[in-house]
Amino acid sequence: MKTAVLNILILVLLSIQVYCKIYEINTPDALKNCFDQKRLNGNSSDPHWDSAHAYCIQKNNWNLLKTAWGNISIETENWVDELLRMSEYEMEGTRTKRQASRRRRTLRIRKEYRILSDTERNNFHRAINMLKRDTSVRPNRYDALGLLHQRLVDDIHHGAAFLPFHRVLLVVCENALRQKIPGVTIPYWDSRLDKPLRDATRSIMWSNSFMGSVRGRVRNGPFRNWNTPAGPLVRNGGQIGDLFDHSTIRAILTRSRLHEIAEPNAVPPYDYEIRHGDVHQWVGGLMEPAETAGFDPIFYLHHSFVDYVWELFRRNQQRRGVNPTTDYPSEYGPASQGPRRPMRLGRLRNIHGMSSMYTSRIYSYEPAPTCSYTNTNCGSKYLRCITRSGTPRCVSVEIISRRQSRRTRRRRRRTRRTNRSRSRRGRRGKRQALNETAVALVDTFSDGYVGPIYTDQMISPVNDICPSTNPYNVIQNMYLMNGLSDTRVWVYVPVKIVYKRQPEQMQFDSFPVKRGQLDAFQDIYDPTGYSSLIDLFPVKAQPRTCGEMDSIFTKVAVHSDGLNYHGSYREFALLDARQPFDSSIMYVAVKSPQMGPTDVVLTAYGPCGNVCKPHCRDLMGGYKHCDGSIKLTNRGPKGYGEDYGDAVRMLWNAPGPDHLPTINESDIFLHFVCD
């Protein structure tokens, strides 16, 4: 008995020595309460958990920004005043119907990005780059607007001022562009046009002629190789988050009052601010956190669409007898979002963003592209009408790979030879029809892509996969902490992911063969077909409706977000979805404890945005359920790697090419179970 007690005491002492460098801590009450809000714990039509959690974390941590960034510069404030005065004449009252009619005819018209003519689109790109090169306002005129948005994040989000403020900010940015090239307007990006694609990252939106690459550093397109105050221009499209779809917009337009779609009381699926955040998350990179989103030009196109939908909402209000100019909620969130509080754009106050004069005397929106069975023209060669989903929808064309382009060119050559042969036989009508199906635009990109083939065959099948289970590359992180972007102030913590097969993944069309006959009624990988496993995989009465997976791989995203520093890191693990259970070890970056103790919350999300359960190591060497919030100290022995390679070698013992590498998992403090 005494020997057993002594062994336990020795084990405890050894555990304390080994694990004292990482501690479990309590998640701050405000953050935990936000996670646990009933309005964010709904059904499959609600925003994904990763987006809802990102919203809560940013809301909790934005107070850290006030020490990381300074105030808005005087020269920026003076320039914004100048930009607002450009619209004063347009906002003035009219004395005669004739004047009013003339002004209506000269409204700026904002169009969907792909509807723009090539000249309009190129002028828009050129105006942005002219602002980027103009350093008369520091650091340059484009980034000055991004810094303006950054330094007001705590005052313009999570409340009723969100939509009014961004409406005015769009006018300010549009006026800045028109200072460079008169007549330019900010187009809107209707991401519903990309949602039906099997891989939305291959939309024409992310080609050389439009926004440039959405995977990693932007190395092509009009904004290639940009540097910003937050580091290089980076995107991580399709890794987390979601694009808008028609059902989301329809749900928002069913509401009649602003408080029904605005923070802090809107409930999913009507919370427009969180829904708009899904798209920020989907683009990723600089667009993911609100404080750096304004440095990416796609920010303005996305918010132009957000404003377009809000204008549709306001028109519905008028038809329902609600005055949209006075519909400012009485419960508006933080004090900074009160109707009479300064907007920090000139002398305007939040209530001024509710005025109808913006869309009656400054700008208007061209309706989003639509099509029908009788009219399949979506108004642009960059859009196609599809009918496979039952309702005709306009969908973006896609970029294709260089290899696909070569195959297409070979098909075109064969088609031309066939057409010449048929022409000699007098079949000119068929020759013309075949030529029309072979129309293509070849646009060579710096990253190895070739511009879209404009045929219906190049549009991927429609599905509702969430998210893509076939990532093209790892996430490019910004390593941005308290305003400084530098890998050297980060360390890596090993994390283990344990994944349990999901109900949506029970069929992989791999069947057993019995007596020479294939048994098509049983999938060999389906654990519910085995008596030894069925109790571990009970059939759920209401499985999630996120869509059937189309790959043998599934992706689990892991996030780290500072609690006593402002910084985030994103990574994902790729697992075999066929197996009843699979696991993966990954390395997640957090602030170096050499700069002081690190408090951080780690979260993990399954393929449909569902939350994985964190488990922390206890003093006995086992694991217990925890919140995922941990503290790192600089006391040894370390539980982290000074860099990525150090973290890998901390776990793996690989003595040489002729020896079997072995792993020591005792240094993994945090496990996530995704079931």
Side-chain angles (χ1 to χ4, degrees):
M1 182 67 178
K2 291 182 179 181
T3 302
V5 172
L6 182 60
N7 288 336
I8 292 175
L9 288 175
I10 292 173
L11 178 60
V12 170
L13 291 174
L14 289 174
S15 299
I16 293 174
Q17 180 185 7
V18 174
Y19 304 116
C20 65
K21 61 277 178 178
I22 299 181
Y23 307 88
E24 175 191 354
I25 61 174
N26 293 324
T27 302
D29 290 340
L31 181 57
K32 192 170 183 178
N33 290 339
C34 185
F35 284 169
D36 295 339
Q37 287 182 84
K38 289 184 178 179
R39 70 188 186 95
L40 299 181
N41 298 325
N43 50 48
S44 60
S45 64
D46 296 344
H48 288 175
W49 271 108
D50 48 6
S51 295
H53 276 195
Y55 165 86
C56 292
I57 289 168
Q58 287 195 338
K59 182 178 180 180
N60 182 74
N61 289 6
W62 273 347
N63 64 306
L64 299 170
L65 291 175
K66 296 178 180 178
T67 58
W69 287 283
N71 296 322
I72 302 169
S73 68
I74 296 298
E75 59 182 355
T76 299
E77 289 184 344
N78 292 338
W79 180 45
V80 170
D81 287 342
E82 174 189 338
L83 294 173
L84 288 171
R85 285 195 297 272
M86 289 177 62
S87 299
E88 285 183 359
Y89 175 75
E90 294 169 282
M91 294 286 283
E92 288 175 355
T94 56
R95 293 185 177 181
T96 67
K97 293 182 180 179
R98 189 181 215 180
Q99 290 172 318
S101 176
R102 182 165 61 251
R103 284 200 177 95
R104 279 196 295 271
R105 287 197 301 270
T106 58
L107 286 177
R108 312 170 189 179
I109 304 298
R110 296 177 182 171
K111 307 174 185 178
E112 211 284 327
Y113 188 40
R114 284 153 285 201
I115 295 295
L116 296 178
S117 68
D118 292 343
T119 299
E120 289 173 327
R121 188 175 67 256
N122 290 335
N123 282 341
F124 173 66
H125 297 162
R126 202 157 52 88
I128 291 177
N129 277 300
M130 291 170 73
L131 287 178
K132 184 77 171 178
R133 292 191 295 267
D134 187 341
T135 58
S136 59
V137 176
R138 292 173 294 177
N140 59 70
R141 292 199 173 217
Y142 180 83
D143 287 334
L145 294 178
L147 290 170
L148 173 70
H149 183 264
Q150 178 190 83
R151 287 161 186 176
L152 294 177
V153 289
D154 201 23
D155 298 327
I156 58 176
H157 295 83
H158 307 124
F162 167 73
L163 289 168
F165 173 87
H166 285 85
R167 168 162 286 195
V168 179
L169 180 65
L170 285 171
V171 172
V172 168
C173 179
E174 196 167 65
N175 286 347
L177 296 172
R178 293 165 78 90
Q179 281 185 328
K180 299 301 182 183
I181 302 180
V184 166
T185 57
I186 297 177
Y188 62 89
W189 170 37
D190 185 350
S191 60
R192 295 176 301 177
L193 303 175
D194 307 296
K195 174 72 173 178
L197 301 180
R198 181 175 294 278
D199 181 0
T201 67
R202 304 195 68 82
S203 164
I204 189 66
M205 279 290 303
W206 313 113
S207 69
N208 194 36
S209 300
F210 286 78
M211 279 283 114
S213 175
V214 74
R215 303 192 203 117
R217 184 171 185 181
V218 179
R219 295 174 296 173
N220 63 2
F223 317 114
R224 58 186 174 274
N225 300 324
W226 264 24
N227 280 312
T228 77
L233 178 56
V234 166
R235 300 173 184 141
N236 292 308
Q239 307 292 5
I240 56 176
D242 205 358
L243 298 174
F244 279 130
D245 59 28
H246 289 276
S247 61
T248 299
I249 301 303
R250 280 197 304 268
I252 290 168
L253 295 179
T254 62
R255 305 298 93 184
S256 300
R257 305 300 296 268
L258 182 57
H259 72 84
E260 295 179 282
I261 66 169
E263 286 289 311
N265 295 314
V267 297
Y270 314 115
D271 192 318
Y272 198 17
E273 186 173 347
I274 293 183
R275 283 298 193 183
H276 112 283
D278 286 344
V279 183
H280 277 268
Q281 297 273 319
W282 186 91
V283 176
L286 290 182
M287 260 288 279
E288 183 183 345
E291 61 269 18
T292 60
F295 300 133
D296 189 338
I298 193 64
F299 167 83
Y300 294 100
L301 279 70
H302 171 47
H303 272 274
S304 186
F305 181 69
V306 170
D307 187 69
Y308 165 65
V309 173
W310 187 37
E311 183 60 22
L312 297 179
F313 176 86
R314 288 163 63 89
R315 293 175 188 174
N316 284 348
Q317 285 185 298
Q318 290 178 318
R319 286 192 287 269
R320 295 165 183 167
V322 178
N323 184 353
T325 65
T326 60
D327 186 39
Y328 205 93
S330 57
E331 296 183 57
Y332 44 74
S336 62
Q337 309 230 12
R340 305 302 304 176
R341 293 297 294 268
M343 187 180 281
R344 303 290 301 277
L345 296 175
R347 298 182 300 276
L348 297 178
R349 300 185 182 276
N350 291 330
I351 190 65
H352 293 147
M354 303 286 289
S355 173
S356 294
M357 299 180 78
Y358 295 98
T359 52
S360 65
R361 297 185 185 173
I362 298 180
Y363 68 89
S364 184
Y365 287 102
E366 183 177 287
T370 59
C371 63
S372 65
Y373 288 111
T374 57
N375 182 10
T376 58
N377 182 8
C378 290
S380 170
K381 61 185 177 182
Y382 303 114
L383 299 173
R384 282 294 179 266
C385 183
I386 61 170
T387 59
R388 291 189 294 272
S389 60
T391 302
R393 301 282 194 205
C394 290
V395 175
S396 178
V397 298
E398 297 178 79
I399 49 180
I400 62 173
S401 69
R402 191 180 299 275
R403 179 179 298 178
Q404 288 173 309
S405 181
R406 286 197 294 267
R407 288 198 299 264
T408 302
R409 286 195 289 269
R410 287 196 294 268
R411 286 197 300 269
R412 290 164 59 196
R413 286 195 293 269
R414 288 196 298 269
T415 300
R416 284 195 293 268
R417 288 196 296 268
T418 302
N419 289 341
R420 285 195 295 268
S421 175
R422 289 179 175 176
S423 177
R424 286 192 293 269
R425 292 195 300 268
R427 300 178 179 177
R428 298 183 181 276
K430 291 187 177 182
R431 174 185 180 185
Q432 180 180 0
L434 286 169
N435 276 335
E436 288 174 353
T437 63
V439 173
L441 176 64
V442 177
D443 183 11
T444 303
F445 301 153
S446 61
D447 64 349
Y449 291 102
V450 177
I453 300 301
Y454 301 129
T455 70
D456 289 340
Q457 291 132 336
M458 294 310 300
I459 296 179
S460 296
V462 176
N463 61 28
D464 55 356
I465 295 172
C466 67
S468 170
T469 57
N470 242 341
Y472 286 90
N473 53 12
V474 297
I475 293 175
Q476 172 61 57
N477 280 279
M478 297 304 302
Y479 299 96
L480 183 65
M481 182 193 305
N482 297 337
L484 174 66
S485 187
D486 193 330
T487 309
R488 294 171 297 180
V489 297
W490 295 76
V491 297
Y492 286 83
V493 175
V495 174
K496 184 172 182 178
I497 307 297
V498 178
Y499 185 76
K500 182 180 177 182
R501 180 84 164 270
Q502 303 298 299
E504 296 80 13
Q505 298 169 319
M506 292 305 175
Q507 299 295 324
F508 282 90
D509 292 339
S510 180
F511 306 107
V513 176
K514 301 175 181 177
R515 297 186 178 91
Q517 298 296 318
L518 186 144
D519 183 359
F521 295 99
Q522 180 185 353
D523 191 304
I524 195 170
Y525 290 113
D526 186 352
T528 62
Y530 299 93
S531 59
S532 57
L533 293 175
I534 192 169
D535 60 320
L536 300 175
F537 294 86
V539 178
K540 295 184 178 180
Q542 293 182 332
R544 290 187 304 275
T545 56
C546 72
E548 183 180 353
M549 306 301 170
D550 71 339
S551 170
I552 64 172
F553 300 107
T554 195
K555 182 176 63 176
V556 173
V558 180
H559 299 181
S560 81
D561 294 278
L563 296 175
N564 64 350
Y565 65 94
H566 194 275
S568 300
Y569 187 86
R570 304 291 184 252
E571 191 54 277
F572 63 79
L574 204 58
L575 300 107
D576 187 344
R578 299 169 301 173
Q579 307 306 322
F581 295 96
D582 196 19
S583 65
S584 177
I585 294 173
M586 54 193 307
Y587 307 91
V588 183
V590 303
K591 181 185 77 70
S592 172
Q594 294 181 6
M595 305 164 58
T598 295
D599 293 353
V600 59
V601 57
L602 283 84
T603 49
Y605 308 95
C608 293
N610 51 304
V611 181
C612 302
K613 300 180 181 67
H615 293 76
C616 298
R617 188 179 284 275
D618 59 26
L619 293 179
M620 302 302 295
Y623 286 88
K624 63 176 183 178
H625 179 70
C626 62
D627 291 339
S629 295
I630 60 176
K631 179 187 288 288
L632 277 71
T633 68
N634 199 29
R635 291 188 294 168
K638 298 184 301 182
Y640 57 86
E642 298 289 350
D643 55 32
Y644 182 83
D646 189 27
V648 173
R649 286 307 301 266
M650 183 178 72
L651 297 188
W652 286 92
N653 179 27
D658 298 329
H659 295 80
L660 177 68
T662 57
I663 187 170
N664 174 23
E665 295 191 15
S666 63
D667 277 326
I668 302 178
F669 183 81
L670 190 61
H671 285 203
F672 284 98
V673 178
C674 307
D675 56 14

